[in-house]
Amino acid sequence: MRTPRLAGAITPRAQFLRFFKDSTSTILAVFKADGTLAEANRGFLSLLESMPSNTDPAVLFVNPQMAELNRMGEDGRTGLVYRGLMTLGNVDRYTDTWLGTVHRVDRQLLLACEQDIAADRNLRQELFRLTEEYAAKERLLAKTHRELERRTAEVERLTFTDSLTDLPNRRAFDHELEREIARSARYREALSLLIVDLDHFKQVNDRFGHAVGDDVLRAVATSLRAEARQIDTVARWGGEEFAVLVPATETDSARLLAERMRDRIRRTPMPESIAPITASVGVAGWLGPEEGSAGLFKRADEALYKAKHDGRNRVSVAEEEP
């Protein structure tokens, strides 16, 4: 006995049709023989909404175009006339590719499209691969950048550092001397320069060899740094000669620093039971903006020459010319 259908009840077929009517993941449309849209579901209508108002729905067919679809089945046959990829949408804004079928029934075209799940999955996999590849290249770039920074810093260090004593070299000292003179001139501060030269150092190299001589130079560099302030610059000028730049310091205070450095060098233990090493020191105070770096260094060097001439192991201060 057939169960009576209740009035107003929705049949399974009606539910099925409503599902496709409201679906946005599928595209369903029926076109009349003259090419006008007879019926469409929400998926197709959403594409149509992306077009300017009053646009012919046939324009949504990018590839194949509606004209091509109309030519299919012109021989009057009905049924499936096309199956394959279909590009739909607004060619100036957005298009997407679907898997589609087109049927001709009573001179009407029935369009049914669904998203290409496999293509979508492949696209996501490709996107994931590209994202991973991009992240790997970003990591490689960051690593390369860090290595470049490290090597740049190392090149700069080697350019401005004496490899034997790890003190600033002559190039670095010249740069710092010019900077400190400019700063002292701007703030009207004192500035002093010390030149330290080891006495009879050639005899050390001749008797004990250059390797021992290098150990002596390193020991002297350590002693000079220990006596200097943090703001002072201790550099190896060349050979057995060192230069000490003493900012914001009058000549008398610089002379006392030179005496402490000379005494500390004399008391520094030396390798190979070498007799105490002594040093002569020339001190010059900066005369002011009228004196450049060359003039300051020349007077400090002349004071060093006087200390050597007067018997070595002593400090000599340059005369402050008016």
Side-chain angles (χ1 to χ4, degrees), residues 4-39:
R5 181 177 297 171
L6 298 177
I10 300 177
T11 65
R13 181 176 182 277
Q15 291 178 332
F16 184 74
L17 293 175
R18 177 178 294 180
F19 169 78
F20 281 103
K21 187 78 171 179
D22 294 336
S23 174
T24 56
S25 61
T26 59
I27 290 178
L28 301 173
V30 178
F31 286 85
K32 297 179 181 179
D34 60 1
T36 59
L37 180 65
E39 192 173 358

Side-chain angles (χ1 to χ4, degrees), residues 287-299:
L287 298 179
E290 67 277 6
E291 182 177 49
S293 58
L296 175 61
F297 204 92
K298 180 175 181 295
R299 290 192 302 109

Side-chain angles (χ1 to χ4, degrees), residues 160-184:
F160 295 101
T161 303
D162 175 60
S163 59
L164 176 64
T165 62
D166 206 32
L167 291 175
N169 59 18
R170 182 169 181 169
R171 176 182 296 180
F173 187 83
D174 286 343
H175 175 77
E176 190 65 17
L177 178 58
E178 295 293 344
R179 193 179 73 86
E180 283 297 334
I181 285 179
R183 193 190 66 81
S184 297

Side-chain angles (χ1 to χ4, degrees), residues 107-271:
R107 297 177 58 82
Q108 290 184 328
L109 289 179
L110 281 65
L111 166 69
C113 292
E114 63 180 353
Q115 290 181 331
D116 186 353
I117 298 176
D120 185 58
R121 181 175 62 250
N122 293 338
L123 180 61
R124 288 197 302 271
Q125 290 176 346
E126 179 66 9
L127 180 61
F128 179 78
R129 186 189 68 79
L130 291 175
T131 302
E132 283 294 302
E133 183 178 322
Y134 176 79
K137 289 184 177 180
E138 281 284 295
R139 291 191 294 269
L140 178 61
L141 180 62
K143 180 181 179 181
T144 303
H145 182 69
R146 290 193 299 270
E147 180 64 16
L148 179 61
E149 287 184 333
R150 186 191 67 79
R151 293 190 180 188
T152 300
E154 180 65 13
V155 168
E156 184 174 353
R157 188 188 71 81
L158 293 175
T159 301
F160 295 101
T161 303
D162 175 60
S163 59
L164 176 64
T165 62
D166 206 32
L167 291 175
N169 59 18
R170 182 169 181 169
R171 176 182 296 180
F173 187 83
D174 286 343
H175 175 77
E176 190 65 17
L177 178 58
E178 295 293 344
R179 193 179 73 86
E180 283 297 334
I181 285 179
R183 193 190 66 81
S184 297
R186 179 177 181 181
Y187 295 105
R188 300 179 183 275
E189 290 183 348
L191 177 66
S192 295
L193 172 65
L194 283 58
I195 300 180
V196 182
D197 187 84
L198 303 186
D199 299 327
H200 304 297
F201 182 73
K202 185 176 182 301
Q203 296 177 9
V204 175
N205 281 333
D206 292 344
R207 182 177 177 184
F208 299 96
H210 288 278
V212 174
D214 290 345
D215 290 339
V216 170
L217 291 174
R218 281 189 284 264
V220 170
T222 300
S223 297
L224 293 175
R225 274 187 298 214
E227 285 295 338
R229 302 170 301 176
Q230 189 173 3
I231 65 171
D232 299 337
T233 300
V234 180
R236 185 184 179 197
W237 183 253
E240 67 271 23
E241 197 168 68
F242 299 83
V244 183
L245 189 60
V246 193
T249 303
E250 300 287 351
T251 306
D252 287 344
S253 297
R255 180 184 60 79
L256 293 176
L257 173 63
E259 290 288 2
R260 293 197 302 273
M261 287 182 168
R262 181 191 63 79
D263 184 61
R264 189 175 189 117
I265 291 172
R266 182 183 59 82
R267 293 185 290 104
T268 298
M270 294 296 167

